[in-house]
Amino acid sequence: MHWIIDVFKKYAVFSGRARRQEFWVFFLFNLIATNVVTFAGRAIDSSVPLIVYTLVIALPLLGLAVRRLHDTDRSGWWFLLTFVPFGVIALIVFYATAGKPEVNEYGPNPKFAAAQ
């Protein structure tokens, strides 16, 4: 549960690094929550819940995606591949790639920093 809370605590933080586990746990949480909100919206015959949820989650998700890219030693600007056909495939590969074990320009490895 702390992985999800940490993302919301850093909702507008675009510096630093994020572990794979943090990214994918939040991704799974977001997938489940989106389905629940969509179901609730259909139950009341309104798209307002999904619009509100999307607005609430957009900035934390963007910050997490940028920090995850930083962990793989890539600039956050790679996130713009989202808007390119088939660019999402490259981003999924980047997100699934192990982070660099050494310190990079974005900071120390969060995996080893958490273990200390």
Side-chain angles (χ1 to χ4, degrees), residues 36-114:
V36 169
V37 170
T38 300
F39 179 76
R42 287 183 180 163
I44 62 172
D45 197 29
S46 173
S47 61
V48 172
L50 186 59
I51 292 169
V52 169
Y53 178 75
T54 301
L55 291 174
V56 166
I57 206 73
L59 198 57
L61 189 58
L62 177 61
L64 177 62
V66 167
R67 290 192 312 273
R68 179 70 202 125
L69 287 167
H70 287 173
D71 193 41
T72 61
D73 208 18
R74 290 177 176 84
S75 167
W77 290 105
W78 280 96
F79 183 77
L80 293 177
L81 282 177
T82 303
F83 306 107
V84 176
F86 306 108
V88 173
I89 295 169
L91 284 174
I92 290 171
V93 171
F94 294 162
Y95 296 147
T97 303
K100 301 295 180 191
E102 64 275 353
V103 174
N104 66 20
E105 67 179 290
Y106 304 105
N109 186 335
K111 185 173 187 175
F112 300 124

Side-chain angles (χ1 to χ4, degrees), residues 1-11 22 26:
M1 188 71 175
H2 71 88
W3 296 110
I4 297 164
I5 294 168
D6 286 349
V7 171
F8 284 109
K9 284 182 181 177
K10 302 178 193 174
Y11 75 95
E22 180 181 5
F26 189 76

